[in-house]
Amino acid sequence: MSQFDIESTAAVAAEADFDPFAAGLIEQTLPSTEPQREVWLADQLGAQASLAYSESLTLRLQGAVDTQAIAAAFSALVARHQSLRSTFSADGSLLLVGEAAPIDLALRDLSPLDEATQARTLAQECAAAVREPFVLERGPLLRATLYRLSPDAHCLVMTAHHAVCDGWSWGVIADELGQLYAEQIGAGPALDPAPRYADYQAWESAEAAGPAMQSHVDYWLKQFAGSSLPVLELPLDRPRPAVRTFASQRIDHLLDSNLLDGLRKTGAGVGASLYAVLFSGFAALLHRLTAQEDLVVGIAAAGQLASNMPRLVGHCVNLLPLRVAVDAALPFEALIRQSSGLLLDGVEHQNLAYGALLRKLPMARDASRLPLVSVLFNVDRDAAPGRGTFPGIDAAQGSVARAFENFELFVNIVPAAGGMQVELQYNTDLFDHATIERWLRIYETLLRAAAADPALAVGRLELRGAEDAHALRALRPAATAPVGARLMHAAFAPRQRPSRTARRYAAPTRC
């Protein structure tokens, strides 16, 4: 990412044949944002690195679907949002917005197949969707196929490159597609014009050059002051490769509604959100796995909220590295308070791009791992999955596991039937399937113990059983000692009330 030499990478890319009109006529050219350039750089590291940024959304549509109206709605969606019809210049410095034009939505009829063959075929198609590479300079950077399963059942699979579509954007896409479909069949009003990505880019540039930026810089440099920066040393099943790899699988684990109700009550008892409670549980898990007291966990912040453009589709996310102090003797409820403050403060100061922060820190280059943040944690908006906005149709939203992942662990917690589902992508060159399954069990049990008695110390939170407890103890000799001095946090002192801005922008988003 930003630790690599921008100039040399751009020079190599510029030598390739590049046709700015390969994707059609250009409506507008604008500078790419710094987070986009970070993704562009990472994309250049190779095929697997590029595929780590492919993201797929599925919409299961149950009901009488007008396929022509779906196709027209999809074209209207792409016409509304500049990012969805954009490509990049050869050096990644420019975003080339193509003119809006009708799009042929790919249709595939699986209805002649029996149910088992349908399911197998659809699973294979979804797996292929995240393995088909995107070319940032040529596009298109959004693809979609509508699969007909029966007269009353369809599945829409959409795949985009992260450089033009983030997690918040997928929520906007799913919502607006239903509304545009309603407009096409005469069952809904026309949508108001969408925000332009050009306006977001202008806002981001103004923020970067504005007087408030120094306060953001000061905040993050204070968080990472000291002679050494923490390095998370998770216990590995195999030696770490000399050069970072990307092969990944995903394991899903359901946290049931009864547990979540208990966690909400626990959070309410200390004035914190469910997000803060789940984050604290994850920090406690990392502490138990590594014996480290100084941890860095990445979260994602939605630039759509900070810029007051909640209906914007594009790459607007920023990675925030939260530095968390976890002491085994610390009561879990105190860890929640501490985490809540860190989350609010981090989002309050989200406008400093992650790459810009890295350039200001004394980062030693290490080809075997990402700089500073090796694990990412995210919680989607805490709401029950709904029917969607398609009139007369039940629309169930889902995601497709990536074949490659940028982080060692990426935890994404999303609403699901019966509770919330933990989607954990992990690097298969570092961890075994059984190891990740065990860690998910331990995470759930830590949360259950915390919900039952939040005053318990982090080090005394119960584990699942003798097998997992033994496995965890066996890791300790290989664990790395705490790195750097222990942080002093406001959890142990009176804390000022979070600013109105921090409270407003505290809504979580996927990365």
Side-chain angles (χ1 to χ4, degrees):
M1 293 176 68
S2 295
Q3 71 179 113
F4 294 92
D5 188 337
I6 295 178
E7 288 78 16
S8 63
T9 305
V12 171
E15 293 176 359
D17 292 336
F18 174 63
D19 178 5
F21 300 101
L25 296 177
I26 302 300
E27 172 188 290
Q28 187 175 6
T29 300
L30 54 143
S32 55
T33 64
E34 173 139 357
Q36 280 183 318
R37 291 191 290 276
E38 293 170 16
V39 172
W40 182 90
L41 279 170
D43 182 273
Q44 308 303 303
L45 298 179
Q48 292 189 1
S50 177
L51 289 171
Y53 292 99
S54 291
E55 300 183 349
S56 265
L57 178 83
T58 63
L59 285 176
R60 290 272 189 165
L61 306 174
Q62 194 70 38
V65 172
D66 183 331
T67 57
Q68 290 186 338
I70 286 278
F74 185 76
S75 282
L77 176 80
V78 174
R80 279 175 59 78
H81 295 289
Q82 290 184 316
S83 289
L84 300 183
R85 43 193 168 87
S86 294
T87 55
F88 286 80
S89 62
D91 63 356
S93 65
L94 297 176
L95 196 66
L96 310 178
V97 181
E99 285 192 345
I103 295 174
D104 291 329
L105 177 64
L107 301 173
R108 185 164 179 200
D109 189 3
L110 303 183
S111 60
L113 305 177
D114 62 72
E115 187 173 339
T117 307
Q118 272 188 5
R120 185 169 59 253
T121 302
L122 189 57
Q124 292 169 347
E125 292 282 315
C126 288
V130 293
R131 287 178 174 271
E132 182 181 349
F134 288 101
V135 180
L136 293 180
E137 295 81 11
R138 296 188 181 277
L141 302 183
L142 170 68
R143 299 187 293 255
T145 301
L146 180 65
Y147 295 90
R148 184 176 189 266
L149 307 177
S150 75
D152 293 325
H154 292 74
C155 184
L156 179 64
V157 180
M158 295 178 285
T159 308
H161 195 285
H162 191 46
V164 297
C165 185
D166 59 16
W168 184 275
S169 299
W170 280 121
V172 175
I173 287 170
D175 185 58
E176 287 194 353
L177 195 57
Q179 296 180 64
L180 292 167
Y181 175 82
E183 181 183 341
Q184 290 295 324
I185 64 173
L191 296 184
D192 293 334
R196 300 187 315 147
Y197 196 75
D199 294 332
Y200 177 80
Q201 188 278 332
W203 171 85
E204 193 230 31
S205 296
E207 286 292 310
M213 181 51 65
Q214 189 57 48
S215 68
H216 302 317
V217 172
D218 293 343
Y219 170 80
W220 290 111
L221 291 182
K222 183 178 179 181
Q223 294 302 300
F224 292 98
S227 58
S228 62
L229 297 175
V231 177
L232 184 65
E233 296 289 357
L234 288 165
L236 308 180
D237 291 310
R238 281 169 293 285
R240 182 182 297 277
V243 177
R244 184 162 61 99
T245 61
F246 302 89
S248 178
Q249 291 182 4
R250 191 177 90 185
I251 298 179
D252 296 342
H253 183 90
L254 184 69
L255 303 177
D256 64 60
S257 56
N258 289 334
L259 170 59
L260 294 169
D261 289 343
L263 296 175
R264 289 187 190 94
K265 292 177 183 176
T266 297
V270 294
S273 66
L274 177 63
Y275 189 117
V277 179
L278 294 170
F279 178 91
S280 299
F282 185 63
L285 172 67
L286 294 179
H287 169 71
R288 297 289 288 268
L289 292 175
T290 65
Q292 292 177 244
E293 296 178 339
D294 190 3
L295 308 171
V296 178
V297 181
I299 67 165
Q304 289 93 335
L305 298 180
S307 62
N308 198 27
M309 302 181 195
R311 306 304 298 176
L312 179 65
V313 169
H315 183 87
C316 308
V317 69
N318 193 20
L319 174 61
L320 307 182
L322 300 190
R323 191 172 188 178
V324 191
V326 185
D327 189 319
L330 183 70
F332 188 78
E333 57 190 4
L335 179 59
I336 296 174
R337 292 191 191 95
Q338 172 183 297
S339 297
S340 182
L342 284 173
L343 289 164
L344 288 169
D345 288 345
V347 175
E348 175 80 0
H349 294 285
Q350 69 173 278
N351 291 354
L352 177 65
Y354 177 64
L357 171 63
L358 291 184
R359 291 195 295 273
K360 298 177 184 297
L361 296 176
M363 297 296 305
R365 295 190 180 191
D366 183 350
S368 70
R369 64 174 82 219
L370 279 166
L372 195 59
V373 174
S374 57
V375 299
L376 187 68
F377 182 87
N378 183 67
V379 181
D380 265 2
R381 285 168 284 185
D382 178 25
R387 295 177 61 251
T389 53
F390 289 83
I393 297 172
D394 286 330
Q397 185 174 324
S399 63
V400 179
R402 288 185 294 279
F404 302 96
E405 175 55 54
N406 198 37
F407 297 92
E408 293 180 18
L409 300 177
F410 179 8
V411 177
N412 191 41
I413 304 181
V414 300
M420 297 189 80
Q421 183 162 278
V422 183
E423 300 174 344
L424 200 162
Q425 290 270 168
Y426 66 96
N427 185 303
T428 55
D429 290 325
L430 301 179
F431 309 107
D432 289 336
H433 184 94
T435 297
I436 302 302
E437 282 190 324
R438 183 186 308 120
W439 292 357
L440 284 168
R441 292 197 304 266
I442 294 172
Y443 178 54
E444 178 181 344
T445 306
L446 290 173
L447 291 175
R448 290 191 181 279
D453 187 358
L456 273 177
V458 169
R460 297 191 63 191
L461 292 174
E462 172 187 359
L463 299 176
R464 181 176 175 86
E467 178 186 350
D468 289 336
H470 175 75
L472 195 57
R473 284 195 298 271
L475 296 172
R476 288 305 176 86
T480 302
V483 180
R486 185 178 304 172
L487 297 179
M488 298 300 293
H489 283 285
F492 304 102
R495 176 176 174 79
Q496 291 183 345
R497 188 167 180 253
S499 74
R500 182 179 303 171
T501 305
R503 294 196 302 274
R504 179 182 179 190
Y505 295 159
T509 177
R510 284 179 294 171
C511 192

